[in-house]
Amino acid sequence: MKTVGIIGANGVVGRTLQQEFKKITASFDTRLFGRQDEIPALDAAVLCTDNPDSVKLYRQIKDRVRYIVDMSSQYRLEKGVPLVIPEINPQTITPATQLIASPNCTTTGLVMTLAPLMKHYHLTEAFFCSYQAISGGGKKLLEDFHTPGSLYENNCVPLIGSVQESGYTSEELKGIYETRKILALPQMKVYPHTVRVAVENSHSLGITVKAQEAFDVAQVKQLWNAFPHLQYREEIITPKEASGQETTYACRLRRDLEEPNIIHYFVTFDNLLKGAAMNARQIIELLLEKYL
């Protein structure tokens, strides 16, 4: 029996991943661990941990765990580490891979809508403003949100992550560099602005995309609806409807009034599912099917 561990099993993502693992049809045994537990030999493990713990744990377990899926941002941009969304780039995992990174939740919502367009359009630029849910900040931020007088109560806070020397936040830089890596478009320009909003679950983004070619709006909708776990809706869809769903939803698509090679649209999705635990589950499913 193959064994798969969840390390950091008591966190928000770890608990969600436990429920996601129940959807896997392949036979395997789930092992649950805290961050300080001794980790035995395993076929695969998911690190539901922050950067310092992921570094420490990877060093501890790399000689006794065949595949390691890291949910932190620590290794996402490291050369040789695939940054994987199974609907987009499963081929970046090979038999020689050991460490696999799962992308930032906000980046995931963006690239899930960009990847299908690449079949017919040469994408050059993407702007997004995010409206990120409290649950994306983990258990501590959820507790803060439910504390009277919280900064996030009935509010929008245009600061996620730490401010870097450039003036960009760490969250915004993830949107730039992870998008380029996942889509294999190193020259693509990405203009991010990330905002935490008073919504408990499900992230949203307002997105503008530019291509070399003029967009056919009907074709864009068809491309989205043919892509796994992505759906275009003519009616408005909000984080309330997206919460608990595996689908990434797009709506409000329109072509720019002046430049036909630009489109604007709105995206919403469950950040704890496709933005985190569901993506990890899909990677584990891929590993069980092809490599374990």
Side-chain angles (χ1 to χ4, degrees), residues 103-166:
N104 173 264
C105 48
T106 307
T107 303
T108 297
L110 174 64
V111 298
M112 279 289 289
T113 59
L114 297 182
L117 304 182
M118 292 172 62
K119 293 182 179 180
H120 292 277
Y121 301 95
H122 294 87
L123 307 182
T124 59
E125 300 181 27
F127 163 86
F128 72 86
C129 187
S130 70
Y131 311 94
Q132 295 180 222
I134 300 297
S135 60
K139 187 189 300 184
K140 289 184 179 179
L141 196 63
L142 279 167
E143 291 172 352
D144 180 346
F145 180 60
H146 291 291
T147 300
S150 169
L151 172 65
Y152 300 96
E153 182 181 359
N154 298 320
N155 208 1
C156 297
V157 180
L159 179 64
I160 302 176
S162 56
V163 178
Q164 307 298 296
E165 287 187 9
S166 62

Side-chain angles (χ1 to χ4, degrees), residues 227-262:
F227 199 72
H229 301 112
L230 177 62
Q231 186 179 126
Y232 181 76
R233 291 280 187 88
E234 294 294 346
E235 69 272 19
I236 297 299
I237 187 160
T238 71
K240 280 187 178 181
E241 291 82 49
S243 187
Q245 303 300 313
E246 295 187 350
T247 302
T248 296
Y249 296 97
C251 65
R252 297 251 15 248
L253 174 66
R254 66 269 188 204
R255 197 161 70 167
D256 191 78
L257 290 174
E258 298 178 351
E259 299 188 48
N261 60 327
I262 294 177

Side-chain angles (χ1 to χ4, degrees), residues 64-269:
R64 55 182 182 271
V65 178
R66 176 64 188 89
Y67 293 101
I68 300 168
V69 180
D70 182 36
M71 305 301 289
S72 82
S73 64
Q74 180 66 38
Y75 299 104
R76 290 174 185 162
L77 300 178
E78 189 167 308
K79 188 175 181 180
V81 177
L83 183 59
V84 178
I85 294 179
E87 293 93 337
I88 298 174
N89 60 347
Q91 75 283 353
T92 57
I93 299 175
T94 72
T97 301
Q98 182 187 38
L99 180 60
I100 301 161
S102 187
N104 173 264
C105 48
T106 307
T107 303
T108 297
L110 174 64
V111 298
M112 279 289 289
T113 59
L114 297 182
L117 304 182
M118 292 172 62
K119 293 182 179 180
H120 292 277
Y121 301 95
H122 294 87
L123 307 182
T124 59
E125 300 181 27
F127 163 86
F128 72 86
C129 187
S130 70
Y131 311 94
Q132 295 180 222
I134 300 297
S135 60
K139 187 189 300 184
K140 289 184 179 179
L141 196 63
L142 279 167
E143 291 172 352
D144 180 346
F145 180 60
H146 291 291
T147 300
S150 169
L151 172 65
Y152 300 96
E153 182 181 359
N154 298 320
N155 208 1
C156 297
V157 180
L159 179 64
I160 302 176
S162 56
V163 178
Q164 307 298 296
E165 287 187 9
S166 62
Y168 285 77
T169 67
S170 54
E171 185 78 1
E172 288 160 351
L173 293 177
K174 292 172 190 176
I176 297 172
Y177 298 117
E178 292 183 27
T179 295
R180 292 173 176 173
K181 182 171 181 177
I182 294 166
L183 299 179
L185 293 175
Q187 304 306 316
M188 186 175 187
K189 294 182 179 179
V190 181
Y191 308 97
H193 197 89
T194 56
V195 183
R196 187 78 70 189
V197 297
V199 171
E200 188 154 329
N201 195 52
S202 293
H203 288 354
S204 303
L205 300 93
I207 299 172
T208 294
V209 179
K210 184 176 184 178
Q212 293 178 6
E213 305 84 1
F215 281 104
D216 180 328
V217 170
Q219 183 185 53
V220 169
K221 294 176 184 179
Q222 291 173 355
L223 291 170
W224 282 343
N225 285 328
F227 199 72
H229 301 112
L230 177 62
Q231 186 179 126
Y232 181 76
R233 291 280 187 88
E234 294 294 346
E235 69 272 19
I236 297 299
I237 187 160
T238 71
K240 280 187 178 181
E241 291 82 49
S243 187
Q245 303 300 313
E246 295 187 350
T247 302
T248 296
Y249 296 97
C251 65
R252 297 251 15 248
L253 174 66
R254 66 269 188 204
R255 197 161 70 167
D256 191 78
L257 290 174
E258 298 178 351
E259 299 188 48
N261 60 327
I262 294 177
I263 53 174
H264 313 279
Y265 57 94
F266 183 80
V267 169
T268 188
F269 60 99

